[in-house]
Every structure is written in structure tokens, then in C-alpha cells.
Amino acid sequence: RGKWDLPRVLGSVEPGLPGTTEPASGVAIRVTDTEQSYQPVKFRTEDRPRVFPDVVSVPVMPGPEWRLAGYTLRRYLLETPFTVGQRSDRQGIRLAGGTPPEAGLPELLSSPVLPGTVQWTGSGPILLGPDAQTIGGYPRLLQAAPLPDEVFQLRPGGGISFEWLTGGRGY
């Protein structure tokens, strides 16, 4: 009913919807100092930071357009040790590895995509991340199942390989 009771989080409060700087007309905001949700963390000497690997194996199964990929493209995707490209982020990891084969895939209508979808673009494969779009127009050749969290902790130059889950070699 236009009144918001907001606790402080890490010493600050969001005054309205994300991206706004002032509350809307007719809205009252009261900040309560009694509900501090920030608790300082003390590390013990036996606590060690998590160490992420330099190479992550991503379990995959066929994507919706896998059947459109030829033998050479399938083999390239499943046998190439890829590296994380410089232009990668949480939307997607651009994969670099060897010389991509000529795919010869048809143009497609935009279709739903999920985190973990491997799309084939004109510049090679992209592994979609947690902040990726929901619709894409590139062929969806592989789907990670499940998508390991560690893959998005890799730095540019880190290694990614795909592990076929459905039995056989996949091509």
C-alpha cells in the first residue's frame, strides 16, 4: 500500500526499483537499523579458499539441431580441447580451438535457449551462461547436463572439453 520497510544490507538500502534513484510519488520508505543482515565473517586458518581447475569437462547431450551437424563438425565439438576466449562473460563463453570446420548449417528461426546450450555461430561455438538471452537464432548443437559452476570461473585461456553423456562417441 505504498509503504516499504527495508532493512540495511551491507550498510545500504535500495530506494526503489533497480535503476531508480528516488521513490515514486506516494511511496514512503523507512529504513530499519535494527535488522542488520550483514554479519562479519571470520576465517579460520583451516578454512581455505576454493581452488578452481584450469580445465573443466562439461557433460553434454545432443541439442535440438545436433542431427543437422555433419560428422566433421560433431567430431570437432567432441574431440577439440577448447579455450575460453577473451570476449567471454556470464552471458556466454566464446570457445576457441583449432580451425573450425565448415559447418554448412541452414539458417534457423529464433528458438528458446537455456544456460548450457552450445550454439554454433559464424565464428565458432558459444557455451551460453547463466545470464544468457532466452531466444537465439543459431543452431543449438549441444546441451550441458548439468552445467558445472566451475566453467564460469575459468579465466580467458582456461580449458573446456565436452564429455558425451548418451553413450558411444556421439558422431
Side-chain angles (χ1 to χ4, degrees), residues 54-85:
D54 292 330
V55 177
V56 175
S57 178
V58 178
V60 292
M61 59 187 187
E65 285 80 44
W66 181 250
R67 62 182 167 68
L68 300 177
Y71 174 82
T72 305
L73 180 56
R74 290 179 181 192
R75 187 170 179 190
Y76 171 78
L77 286 169
L78 296 175
E79 292 185 0
T80 301
F82 292 101
T83 57
V84 175

PDB file of all heavy atoms in Angstrom, residues 54-85:
ATOM      1  N   ASP A  54      42.024 -25.511 -13.915  1.00  0.00           N
ATOM      2  CA  ASP A  54      42.352 -24.787 -15.141  1.00  0.00           C
ATOM      3  C   ASP A  54      41.595 -25.340 -16.337  1.00  0.00           C
ATOM      4  O   ASP A  54      41.490 -24.685 -17.365  1.00  0.00           O
ATOM      5  CB  ASP A  54      43.856 -24.865 -15.420  1.00  0.00           C
ATOM      6  CG  ASP A  54      44.664 -24.102 -14.386  1.00  0.00           C
ATOM      7  OD1 ASP A  54      44.144 -23.104 -13.845  1.00  0.00           O
ATOM      8  OD2 ASP A  54      45.805 -24.499 -14.113  1.00  0.00           O
ATOM      9  N   VAL A  55      41.090 -26.588 -16.197  1.00  0.00           N
ATOM     10  CA  VAL A  55      40.350 -27.248 -17.271  1.00  0.00           C
ATOM     11  C   VAL A  55      39.083 -27.840 -16.671  1.00  0.00           C
ATOM     12  O   VAL A  55      39.115 -28.436 -15.603  1.00  0.00           O
ATOM     13  CB  VAL A  55      41.189 -28.373 -17.921  1.00  0.00           C
ATOM     14  CG1 VAL A  55      40.381 -29.085 -18.985  1.00  0.00           C
ATOM     15  CG2 VAL A  55      42.479 -27.826 -18.497  1.00  0.00           C
ATOM     16  N   VAL A  56      37.959 -27.646 -17.356  1.00  0.00           N
ATOM     17  CA  VAL A  56      36.675 -28.190 -16.897  1.00  0.00           C
ATOM     18  C   VAL A  56      36.098 -29.066 -18.005  1.00  0.00           C
ATOM     19  O   VAL A  56      36.054 -28.668 -19.166  1.00  0.00           O
ATOM     20  CB  VAL A  56      35.679 -27.060 -16.547  1.00  0.00           C
ATOM     21  CG1 VAL A  56      34.320 -27.637 -16.191  1.00  0.00           C
ATOM     22  CG2 VAL A  56      36.201 -26.208 -15.412  1.00  0.00           C
ATOM     23  N   SER A  57      35.660 -30.256 -17.628  1.00  0.00           N
ATOM     24  CA  SER A  57      34.974 -31.139 -18.549  1.00  0.00           C
ATOM     25  C   SER A  57      33.474 -30.917 -18.372  1.00  0.00           C
ATOM     26  O   SER A  57      32.947 -31.003 -17.270  1.00  0.00           O
ATOM     27  CB  SER A  57      35.330 -32.598 -18.242  1.00  0.00           C
ATOM     28  OG  SER A  57      34.625 -33.452 -19.098  1.00  0.00           O
ATOM     29  N   VAL A  58      32.801 -30.594 -19.466  1.00  0.00           N
ATOM     30  CA  VAL A  58      31.376 -30.283 -19.428  1.00  0.00           C
ATOM     31  C   VAL A  58      30.598 -31.461 -20.002  1.00  0.00           C
ATOM     32  O   VAL A  58      30.748 -31.796 -21.182  1.00  0.00           O
ATOM     33  CB  VAL A  58      31.074 -29.002 -20.243  1.00  0.00           C
ATOM     34  CG1 VAL A  58      29.583 -28.704 -20.259  1.00  0.00           C
ATOM     35  CG2 VAL A  58      31.856 -27.820 -19.695  1.00  0.00           C
ATOM     36  N   PRO A  59      29.750 -32.111 -19.190  1.00  0.00           N
ATOM     37  CA  PRO A  59      28.938 -33.218 -19.716  1.00  0.00           C
ATOM     38  C   PRO A  59      27.862 -32.661 -20.648  1.00  0.00           C
ATOM     39  O   PRO A  59      27.184 -31.697 -20.311  1.00  0.00           O
ATOM     40  CB  PRO A  59      28.326 -33.840 -18.463  1.00  0.00           C
ATOM     41  CG  PRO A  59      28.382 -32.779 -17.417  1.00  0.00           C
ATOM     42  CD  PRO A  59      29.517 -31.869 -17.768  1.00  0.00           C
ATOM     43  N   VAL A  60      27.728 -33.260 -21.839  1.00  0.00           N
ATOM     44  CA  VAL A  60      26.764 -32.752 -22.823  1.00  0.00           C
ATOM     45  C   VAL A  60      25.931 -33.886 -23.413  1.00  0.00           C
ATOM     46  O   VAL A  60      26.328 -35.047 -23.411  1.00  0.00           O
ATOM     47  CB  VAL A  60      27.458 -31.988 -23.978  1.00  0.00           C
ATOM     48  CG1 VAL A  60      28.077 -30.700 -23.484  1.00  0.00           C
ATOM     49  CG2 VAL A  60      28.475 -32.855 -24.696  1.00  0.00           C
ATOM     50  N   MET A  61      24.783 -33.504 -23.922  1.00  0.00           N
ATOM     51  CA  MET A  61      23.919 -34.399 -24.690  1.00  0.00           C
ATOM     52  C   MET A  61      23.544 -33.654 -25.962  1.00  0.00           C
ATOM     53  O   MET A  61      23.802 -32.456 -26.088  1.00  0.00           O
ATOM     54  CB  MET A  61      22.696 -34.781 -23.863  1.00  0.00           C
ATOM     55  CG  MET A  61      21.855 -33.647 -23.405  1.00  0.00           C
ATOM     56  SD  MET A  61      20.594 -34.273 -22.280  1.00  0.00           S
ATOM     57  CE  MET A  61      19.628 -32.809 -22.064  1.00  0.00           C
ATOM     58  N   PRO A  62      22.953 -34.337 -26.925  1.00  0.00           N
ATOM     59  CA  PRO A  62      22.646 -33.663 -28.185  1.00  0.00           C
ATOM     60  C   PRO A  62      21.636 -32.533 -28.015  1.00  0.00           C
ATOM     61  O   PRO A  62      20.679 -32.656 -27.257  1.00  0.00           O
ATOM     62  CB  PRO A  62      22.066 -34.771 -29.069  1.00  0.00           C
ATOM     63  CG  PRO A  62      21.866 -35.945 -28.199  1.00  0.00           C
ATOM     64  CD  PRO A  62      22.568 -35.734 -26.915  1.00  0.00           C
ATOM     65  N   GLY A  63      21.889 -31.428 -28.722  1.00  0.00           N
ATOM     66  CA  GLY A  63      20.950 -30.319 -28.753  1.00  0.00           C
ATOM     67  C   GLY A  63      19.915 -30.553 -29.844  1.00  0.00           C
ATOM     68  O   GLY A  63      20.020 -31.509 -30.626  1.00  0.00           O
ATOM     69  N   PRO A  64      18.920 -29.679 -29.947  1.00  0.00           N
ATOM     70  CA  PRO A  64      17.840 -29.870 -30.922  1.00  0.00           C
ATOM     71  C   PRO A  64      18.304 -29.959 -32.379  1.00  0.00           C
ATOM     72  O   PRO A  64      17.677 -30.643 -33.179  1.00  0.00           O
ATOM     73  CB  PRO A  64      16.946 -28.647 -30.705  1.00  0.00           C
ATOM     74  CG  PRO A  64      17.209 -28.230 -29.303  1.00  0.00           C
ATOM     75  CD  PRO A  64      18.655 -28.547 -29.054  1.00  0.00           C
ATOM     76  N   GLU A  65      19.395 -29.275 -32.742  1.00  0.00           N
ATOM     77  CA  GLU A  65      19.848 -29.305 -34.133  1.00  0.00           C
ATOM     78  C   GLU A  65      21.076 -30.190 -34.334  1.00  0.00           C
ATOM     79  O   GLU A  65      21.735 -30.115 -35.366  1.00  0.00           O
ATOM     80  CB  GLU A  65      20.154 -27.876 -34.620  1.00  0.00           C
ATOM     81  CG  GLU A  65      18.922 -27.044 -34.915  1.00  0.00           C
ATOM     82  CD  GLU A  65      18.260 -26.456 -33.681  1.00  0.00           C
ATOM     83  OE1 GLU A  65      18.964 -25.931 -32.797  1.00  0.00           O
ATOM     84  OE2 GLU A  65      17.019 -26.542 -33.580  1.00  0.00           O
ATOM     85  N   TRP A  66      21.406 -31.054 -33.379  1.00  0.00           N
ATOM     86  CA  TRP A  66      22.566 -31.947 -33.482  1.00  0.00           C
ATOM     87  C   TRP A  66      22.509 -32.782 -34.758  1.00  0.00           C
ATOM     88  O   TRP A  66      23.510 -32.998 -35.425  1.00  0.00           O
ATOM     89  CB  TRP A  66      22.633 -32.832 -32.245  1.00  0.00           C
ATOM     90  CG  TRP A  66      23.788 -33.781 -32.208  1.00  0.00           C
ATOM     91  CD1 TRP A  66      23.722 -35.144 -32.331  1.00  0.00           C
ATOM     92  CD2 TRP A  66      25.169 -33.476 -32.027  1.00  0.00           C
ATOM     93  NE1 TRP A  66      24.981 -35.687 -32.229  1.00  0.00           N
ATOM     94  CE2 TRP A  66      25.893 -34.683 -32.037  1.00  0.00           C
ATOM     95  CE3 TRP A  66      25.869 -32.283 -31.863  1.00  0.00           C
ATOM     96  CZ2 TRP A  66      27.273 -34.750 -31.893  1.00  0.00           C
ATOM     97  CZ3 TRP A  66      27.252 -32.341 -31.710  1.00  0.00           C
ATOM     98  CH2 TRP A  66      27.936 -33.560 -31.733  1.00  0.00           C
ATOM     99  N   ARG A  67      21.339 -33.236 -35.118  1.00  0.00           N
ATOM    100  CA  ARG A  67      21.184 -34.098 -36.301  1.00  0.00           C
ATOM    101  C   ARG A  67      21.553 -33.374 -37.590  1.00  0.00           C
ATOM    102  O   ARG A  67      21.856 -34.005 -38.601  1.00  0.00           O
ATOM    103  CB  ARG A  67      19.759 -34.647 -36.386  1.00  0.00           C
ATOM    104  CG  ARG A  67      18.717 -33.584 -36.547  1.00  0.00           C
ATOM    105  CD  ARG A  67      17.294 -34.126 -36.581  1.00  0.00           C
ATOM    106  NE  ARG A  67      16.319 -33.094 -36.440  1.00  0.00           N
ATOM    107  CZ  ARG A  67      16.056 -32.142 -37.328  1.00  0.00           C
ATOM    108  NH1 ARG A  67      16.705 -32.100 -38.459  1.00  0.00           N
ATOM    109  NH2 ARG A  67      15.138 -31.229 -37.100  1.00  0.00           N
ATOM    110  N   LEU A  68      21.556 -32.024 -37.576  1.00  0.00           N
ATOM    111  CA  LEU A  68      21.915 -31.248 -38.764  1.00  0.00           C
ATOM    112  C   LEU A  68      23.430 -31.119 -38.943  1.00  0.00           C
ATOM    113  O   LEU A  68      23.898 -30.756 -40.011  1.00  0.00           O
ATOM    114  CB  LEU A  68      21.304 -29.844 -38.695  1.00  0.00           C
ATOM    115  CG  LEU A  68      19.779 -29.765 -38.612  1.00  0.00           C
ATOM    116  CD1 LEU A  68      19.331 -28.317 -38.476  1.00  0.00           C
ATOM    117  CD2 LEU A  68      19.148 -30.426 -39.832  1.00  0.00           C
ATOM    118  N   ALA A  69      24.182 -31.399 -37.883  1.00  0.00           N
ATOM    119  CA  ALA A  69      25.644 -31.277 -37.942  1.00  0.00           C
ATOM    120  C   ALA A  69      26.235 -32.516 -38.605  1.00  0.00           C
ATOM    121  O   ALA A  69      25.837 -33.642 -38.302  1.00  0.00           O
ATOM    122  CB  ALA A  69      26.218 -31.111 -36.536  1.00  0.00           C
ATOM    123  N   GLY A  70      27.179 -32.310 -39.479  1.00  0.00           N
ATOM    124  CA  GLY A  70      27.846 -33.429 -40.143  1.00  0.00           C
ATOM    125  C   GLY A  70      28.897 -34.064 -39.244  1.00  0.00           C
ATOM    126  O   GLY A  70      29.212 -33.569 -38.152  1.00  0.00           O
ATOM    127  N   TYR A  71      29.469 -35.164 -39.719  1.00  0.00           N
ATOM    128  CA  TYR A  71      30.464 -35.925 -38.977  1.00  0.00           C
ATOM    129  C   TYR A  71      31.645 -35.051 -38.547  1.00  0.00           C
ATOM    130  O   TYR A  71      32.082 -35.099 -37.401  1.00  0.00           O
ATOM    131  CB  TYR A  71      30.949 -37.101 -39.826  1.00  0.00           C
ATOM    132  CG  TYR A  71      32.083 -37.876 -39.211  1.00  0.00           C
ATOM    133  CD1 TYR A  71      31.839 -38.853 -38.256  1.00  0.00           C
ATOM    134  CD2 TYR A  71      33.405 -37.623 -39.579  1.00  0.00           C
ATOM    135  CE1 TYR A  71      32.872 -39.561 -37.682  1.00  0.00           C
ATOM    136  CE2 TYR A  71      34.456 -38.324 -39.011  1.00  0.00           C
ATOM    137  CZ  TYR A  71      34.182 -39.294 -38.065  1.00  0.00           C
ATOM    138  OH  TYR A  71      35.212 -39.991 -37.484  1.00  0.00           O
ATOM    139  N   THR A  72      32.173 -34.240 -39.453  1.00  0.00           N
ATOM    140  CA  THR A  72      33.357 -33.424 -39.154  1.00  0.00           C
ATOM    141  C   THR A  72      33.073 -32.422 -38.036  1.00  0.00           C
ATOM    142  O   THR A  72      33.883 -32.250 -37.131  1.00  0.00           O
ATOM    143  CB  THR A  72      33.835 -32.676 -40.423  1.00  0.00           C
ATOM    144  OG1 THR A  72      34.046 -33.631 -41.452  1.00  0.00           O
ATOM    145  CG2 THR A  72      35.105 -31.909 -40.166  1.00  0.00           C
ATOM    146  N   LEU A  73      31.924 -31.767 -38.084  1.00  0.00           N
ATOM    147  CA  LEU A  73      31.560 -30.799 -37.055  1.00  0.00           C
ATOM    148  C   LEU A  73      31.318 -31.486 -35.712  1.00  0.00           C
ATOM    149  O   LEU A  73      31.769 -31.012 -34.669  1.00  0.00           O
ATOM    150  CB  LEU A  73      30.316 -30.008 -37.484  1.00  0.00           C
ATOM    151  CG  LEU A  73      29.813 -28.960 -36.496  1.00  0.00           C
ATOM    152  CD1 LEU A  73      30.904 -27.963 -36.138  1.00  0.00           C
ATOM    153  CD2 LEU A  73      28.592 -28.252 -37.069  1.00  0.00           C
ATOM    154  N   ARG A  74      30.642 -32.618 -35.723  1.00  0.00           N
ATOM    155  CA  ARG A  74      30.401 -33.363 -34.484  1.00  0.00           C
ATOM    156  C   ARG A  74      31.721 -33.785 -33.834  1.00  0.00           C
ATOM    157  O   ARG A  74      31.930 -33.616 -32.640  1.00  0.00           O
ATOM    158  CB  ARG A  74      29.546 -34.598 -34.754  1.00  0.00           C
ATOM    159  CG  ARG A  74      28.114 -34.280 -35.104  1.00  0.00           C
ATOM    160  CD  ARG A  74      27.349 -35.546 -35.378  1.00  0.00           C
ATOM    161  NE  ARG A  74      25.975 -35.256 -35.747  1.00  0.00           N
ATOM    162  CZ  ARG A  74      25.026 -36.168 -35.813  1.00  0.00           C
ATOM    163  NH1 ARG A  74      25.304 -37.435 -35.558  1.00  0.00           N
ATOM    164  NH2 ARG A  74      23.814 -35.836 -36.146  1.00  0.00           N
ATOM    165  N   ARG A  75      32.607 -34.317 -34.657  1.00  0.00           N
ATOM    166  CA  ARG A  75      33.903 -34.757 -34.141  1.00  0.00           C
ATOM    167  C   ARG A  75      34.698 -33.568 -33.595  1.00  0.00           C
ATOM    168  O   ARG A  75      35.330 -33.663 -32.545  1.00  0.00           O
ATOM    169  CB  ARG A  75      34.676 -35.476 -35.245  1.00  0.00           C
ATOM    170  CG  ARG A  75      35.935 -36.090 -34.753  1.00  0.00           C
ATOM    171  CD  ARG A  75      36.552 -36.983 -35.781  1.00  0.00           C
ATOM    172  NE  ARG A  75      37.782 -37.524 -35.219  1.00  0.00           N
ATOM    173  CZ  ARG A  75      38.668 -38.176 -35.888  1.00  0.00           C
ATOM    174  NH1 ARG A  75      38.484 -38.428 -37.164  1.00  0.00           N
ATOM    175  NH2 ARG A  75      39.753 -38.607 -35.306  1.00  0.00           N
ATOM    176  N   TYR A  76      34.667 -32.450 -34.302  1.00  0.00           N
ATOM    177  CA  TYR A  76      35.350 -31.229 -33.846  1.00  0.00           C
ATOM    178  C   TYR A  76      34.849 -30.817 -32.460  1.00  0.00           C
ATOM    179  O   TYR A  76      35.632 -30.539 -31.561  1.00  0.00           O
ATOM    180  CB  TYR A  76      35.122 -30.105 -34.865  1.00  0.00           C
ATOM    181  CG  TYR A  76      35.603 -28.751 -34.404  1.00  0.00           C
ATOM    182  CD1 TYR A  76      36.944 -28.406 -34.441  1.00  0.00           C
ATOM    183  CD2 TYR A  76      34.692 -27.805 -33.944  1.00  0.00           C
ATOM    184  CE1 TYR A  76      37.381 -27.161 -34.030  1.00  0.00           C
ATOM    185  CE2 TYR A  76      35.111 -26.558 -33.527  1.00  0.00           C
ATOM    186  CZ  TYR A  76      36.457 -26.239 -33.572  1.00  0.00           C
ATOM    187  OH  TYR A  76      36.878 -25.006 -33.148  1.00  0.00           O
ATOM    188  N   LEU A  77      33.534 -30.783 -32.270  1.00  0.00           N
ATOM    189  CA  LEU A  77      32.970 -30.357 -30.986  1.00  0.00           C
ATOM    190  C   LEU A  77      33.326 -31.302 -29.844  1.00  0.00           C
ATOM    191  O   LEU A  77      33.584 -30.859 -28.720  1.00  0.00           O
ATOM    192  CB  LEU A  77      31.452 -30.220 -31.095  1.00  0.00           C
ATOM    193  CG  LEU A  77      30.948 -29.008 -31.859  1.00  0.00           C
ATOM    194  CD1 LEU A  77      29.453 -29.127 -32.125  1.00  0.00           C
ATOM    195  CD2 LEU A  77      31.258 -27.729 -31.106  1.00  0.00           C
ATOM    196  N   LEU A  78      33.340 -32.586 -30.105  1.00  0.00           N
ATOM    197  CA  LEU A  78      33.532 -33.558 -29.028  1.00  0.00           C
ATOM    198  C   LEU A  78      34.990 -33.930 -28.778  1.00  0.00           C
ATOM    199  O   LEU A  78      35.295 -34.488 -27.727  1.00  0.00           O
ATOM    200  CB  LEU A  78      32.710 -34.818 -29.307  1.00  0.00           C
ATOM    201  CG  LEU A  78      31.199 -34.588 -29.329  1.00  0.00           C
ATOM    202  CD1 LEU A  78      30.478 -35.861 -29.726  1.00  0.00           C
ATOM    203  CD2 LEU A  78      30.706 -34.073 -27.987  1.00  0.00           C
ATOM    204  N   GLU A  79      35.885 -33.618 -29.705  1.00  0.00           N
ATOM    205  CA  GLU A  79      37.286 -34.002 -29.516  1.00  0.00           C
ATOM    206  C   GLU A  79      38.244 -32.834 -29.359  1.00  0.00           C
ATOM    207  O   GLU A  79      39.397 -33.034 -28.992  1.00  0.00           O
ATOM    208  CB  GLU A  79      37.746 -34.883 -30.687  1.00  0.00           C
ATOM    209  CG  GLU A  79      37.078 -36.233 -30.700  1.00  0.00           C
ATOM    210  CD  GLU A  79      37.635 -37.150 -31.789  1.00  0.00           C
ATOM    211  OE1 GLU A  79      38.548 -36.724 -32.537  1.00  0.00           O
ATOM    212  OE2 GLU A  79      37.144 -38.286 -31.886  1.00  0.00           O
ATOM    213  N   THR A  80      37.787 -31.616 -29.608  1.00  0.00           N
ATOM    214  CA  THR A  80      38.679 -30.465 -29.527  1.00  0.00           C
ATOM    215  C   THR A  80      38.804 -29.983 -28.087  1.00  0.00           C
ATOM    216  O   THR A  80      37.794 -29.780 -27.418  1.00  0.00           O
ATOM    217  CB  THR A  80      38.140 -29.304 -30.405  1.00  0.00           C
ATOM    218  OG1 THR A  80      38.055 -29.761 -31.740  1.00  0.00           O
ATOM    219  CG2 THR A  80      39.037 -28.087 -30.330  1.00  0.00           C
ATOM    220  N   PRO A  81      40.039 -29.768 -27.616  1.00  0.00           N
ATOM    221  CA  PRO A  81      40.212 -29.092 -26.320  1.00  0.00           C
ATOM    222  C   PRO A  81      40.080 -27.581 -26.549  1.00  0.00           C
ATOM    223  O   PRO A  81      40.949 -26.963 -27.144  1.00  0.00           O
ATOM    224  CB  PRO A  81      41.630 -29.483 -25.898  1.00  0.00           C
ATOM    225  CG  PRO A  81      42.335 -29.855 -27.158  1.00  0.00           C
ATOM    226  CD  PRO A  81      41.288 -30.263 -28.155  1.00  0.00           C
ATOM    227  N   PHE A  82      38.987 -27.005 -26.110  1.00  0.00           N
ATOM    228  CA  PHE A  82      38.708 -25.586 -26.333  1.00  0.00           C
ATOM    229  C   PHE A  82      39.335 -24.728 -25.238  1.00  0.00           C
ATOM    230  O   PHE A  82      39.595 -25.212 -24.130  1.00  0.00           O
ATOM    231  CB  PHE A  82      37.193 -25.333 -26.356  1.00  0.00           C
ATOM    232  CG  PHE A  82      36.504 -25.944 -27.540  1.00  0.00           C
ATOM    233  CD1 PHE A  82      35.800 -27.126 -27.413  1.00  0.00           C
ATOM    234  CD2 PHE A  82      36.568 -25.334 -28.782  1.00  0.00           C
ATOM    235  CE1 PHE A  82      35.157 -27.693 -28.501  1.00  0.00           C
ATOM    236  CE2 PHE A  82      35.938 -25.889 -29.878  1.00  0.00           C
ATOM    237  CZ  PHE A  82      35.225 -27.070 -29.737  1.00  0.00           C
ATOM    238  N   THR A  83      39.531 -23.455 -25.549  1.00  0.00           N
ATOM    239  CA  THR A  83      39.957 -22.485 -24.543  1.00  0.00           C
ATOM    240  C   THR A  83      38.914 -21.378 -24.470  1.00  0.00           C
ATOM    241  O   THR A  83      38.191 -21.104 -25.430  1.00  0.00           O
ATOM    242  CB  THR A  83      41.340 -21.874 -24.867  1.00  0.00           C
ATOM    243  OG1 THR A  83      41.283 -21.266 -26.148  1.00  0.00           O
ATOM    244  CG2 THR A  83      42.429 -22.919 -24.827  1.00  0.00           C
ATOM    245  N   VAL A  84      38.848 -20.743 -23.295  1.00  0.00           N
ATOM    246  CA  VAL A  84      37.921 -19.643 -23.064  1.00  0.00           C
ATOM    247  C   VAL A  84      38.457 -18.417 -23.793  1.00  0.00           C
ATOM    248  O   VAL A  84      39.594 -18.000 -23.572  1.00  0.00           O
ATOM    249  CB  VAL A  84      37.786 -19.354 -21.555  1.00  0.00           C
ATOM    250  CG1 VAL A  84      36.918 -18.133 -21.316  1.00  0.00           C
ATOM    251  CG2 VAL A  84      37.229 -20.570 -20.830  1.00  0.00           C
ATOM    252  N   GLY A  85      37.638 -17.835 -24.675  1.00  0.00           N
ATOM    253  CA  GLY A  85      38.038 -16.655 -25.432  1.00  0.00           C
ATOM    254  C   GLY A  85      38.024 -15.391 -24.588  1.00  0.00           C
ATOM    255  O   GLY A  85      37.380 -15.321 -23.530  1.00  0.00           O
TER     256      GLY A  85
END
